[in-house]
Amino acid sequence: MDPQGGPYLNKKALCSPLGAARLCQLAMGCAVIAMVTHSAGYSGSHGVFCMAAWCFCFAMSVAVFFLDATRLYSCLPISWDNLTVTCAAFATLLYVTASVVYPLFFVRIECPYDGCAVRDFRIASHPEVALCRARPGQAVVGYMATVSGLLKVVQGFVACIIFGALANGSEYSRYAATIYCVVVYALCFALTTLVVIMTVCGRTKAVRCMPFDRFAVVCTLLEVLLYLSASVVWPVFCFDTKYGSPWRPSSCPRGKCSWDSKVVVAVFSFVNFVLYVVDLIYSQRIRFVSSHVSTNSRV
């Protein structure tokens, strides 16, 4: 028993539907990692990415469950509800990505040379990943629990895909216009990350000249305008015949082709532009009110 007369452990974290879901996530995440390590196998950059995603999400689930069960989250200067929703959304994106990448590169209809057991383990890993995807689990109060807040996580994830493509021989430094696009991606990613960090850390009162929801809308509008310009400029300077090639060069090697990286950047630039537009439209329908109620009152 704690000094206040209550139990040391948070019973809701252990006995509630959310607690049960987190326990299932831990069990299934451990099973996925064990199966892939034991016989399913992983290799190359795609396999390493999938394993890193599974391990990171498993570690994040362990940390969230432990902090919630022991109430140690109350010692952290953060908004616990916003943090758990952010972690859940980010883990969902990682699991969905891994659940697509792993079977695409490692599951084959025919049996590999060392027998069908390896193939069967790989097929079994796929539904396990889908089942143990992170879920918010309950209705929570906070900006990150809204559609706009969840979109911020998706926007940051898409930006990371863009950065990966830029680093994979995209030749963005050839023109000042494409360098401008990279600056746009970096600036928008920084603004999105700033909004998420302010929310998770409970620093929504840090913007004194305007309410936090207004600040988020201003940032989103700026990001919409910047991404609109990048979504137009990048394709022009990469696929116009004056600056690049509208068709994939026949001599371009698979997996190491700068043209492919440019296509990825162009596609996901437009995807993020659409996400920011949806975010801007939805943000007009919400009013975020920061709460001064201490999270210590949670049972």
Side-chain angles (χ1 to χ4, degrees):
M1 304 289 287
D2 63 13
Q4 298 179 350
Y8 286 114
L9 296 180
N10 184 0
K11 291 183 178 180
K12 286 189 176 181
L14 302 173
C15 304
S16 66
L18 176 60
R22 285 173 177 168
L23 286 173
C24 290
Q25 292 167 13
L26 293 176
M28 293 179 182
C30 186
V32 170
I33 296 173
M35 282 192 295
V36 173
T37 305
H38 174 60
S39 292
Y42 65 97
S43 59
S45 58
H46 300 96
V48 171
F49 165 77
C50 292
M51 179 57 74
W54 293 326
C55 292
F56 177 78
C57 292
F58 177 73
M60 189 162 52
S61 297
V62 171
V64 169
F65 179 79
F66 179 80
L67 290 173
D68 198 15
T70 59
R71 294 195 184 92
L72 289 177
Y73 63 82
S74 60
C75 301
L76 303 176
I78 58 174
S79 173
W80 178 247
D81 288 332
N82 282 316
L83 177 63
T84 53
V85 171
T86 303
C87 291
F90 185 66
T92 299
L93 294 173
L94 284 178
Y95 269 125
V96 169
T97 304
S99 67
V100 173
V101 171
Y102 189 83
L104 182 64
F105 286 92
F106 294 95
V107 175
R108 299 291 183 269
I109 297 178
E110 70 278 2
C111 295
Y113 294 111
D114 50 355
C116 291
V118 173
R119 183 200 64 181
D120 295 339
F121 270 108
R122 289 174 176 174
I123 294 175
S125 298
H126 179 55
E128 290 286 352
V129 171
L131 287 173
C132 63
R133 65 188 184 277
R135 300 178 179 87
Q138 64 179 23
V140 294
V141 178
Y143 179 80
M144 296 308 299
T146 65
V147 172
S148 184
L150 294 175
L151 283 173
K152 289 288 188 290
V153 181
V154 181
Q155 292 157 6
F157 186 81
V158 173
C160 290
I161 297 177
I162 294 176
F163 293 144
L166 288 171
N168 190 28
S170 62
E171 300 177 349
Y172 65 86
S173 59
R174 293 182 60 183
Y175 305 105
T178 52
I179 295 177
Y180 161 78
C181 293
V182 176
V183 173
V184 167
Y185 302 141
L187 178 60
C188 292
F189 178 75
L191 288 175
T192 300
T193 304
L194 176 63
V195 171
V196 173
I197 291 177
M198 289 176 63
T199 306
V200 172
C201 295
R203 297 292 186 268
T204 55
K205 294 293 186 180
V207 185
R208 299 182 179 180
C209 59
M210 66 182 74
F212 177 78
D213 54 346
R214 185 182 181 90
F215 172 74
V217 169
V218 170
C219 290
T220 304
L221 177 59
L222 177 61
E223 291 160 340
V224 167
L225 297 176
L226 289 174
Y227 257 97
L228 175 61
S229 64
S231 299
V232 174
V233 171
W234 181 269
V236 169
F237 280 84
C238 289
F239 306 116
D240 188 87
T241 53
K242 182 178 179 179
Y243 304 101
S245 172
W247 310 105
R248 191 179 191 278
S250 57
S251 59
C252 207
R254 291 287 178 182
K256 297 182 179 180
C257 182
S258 60
W259 193 87
D260 293 342
S261 298
K262 294 174 182 177
V263 170
V264 172
V265 173
V267 170
F268 282 97
S269 294
F270 182 75
V271 169
N272 237 2
F273 169 68
V274 173
L275 291 174
Y276 279 114
V277 171
V278 174
D279 186 3
L280 183 63
I281 295 174
Y282 184 83
S283 62
Q284 303 304 306
R285 302 170 54 189
I286 63 173
R287 289 295 182 270
F288 173 69
V289 179
S290 58
S291 175
H292 296 283
V293 178
S294 175
T295 57
N296 294 343
S297 60
R298 288 184 54 180
V299 179

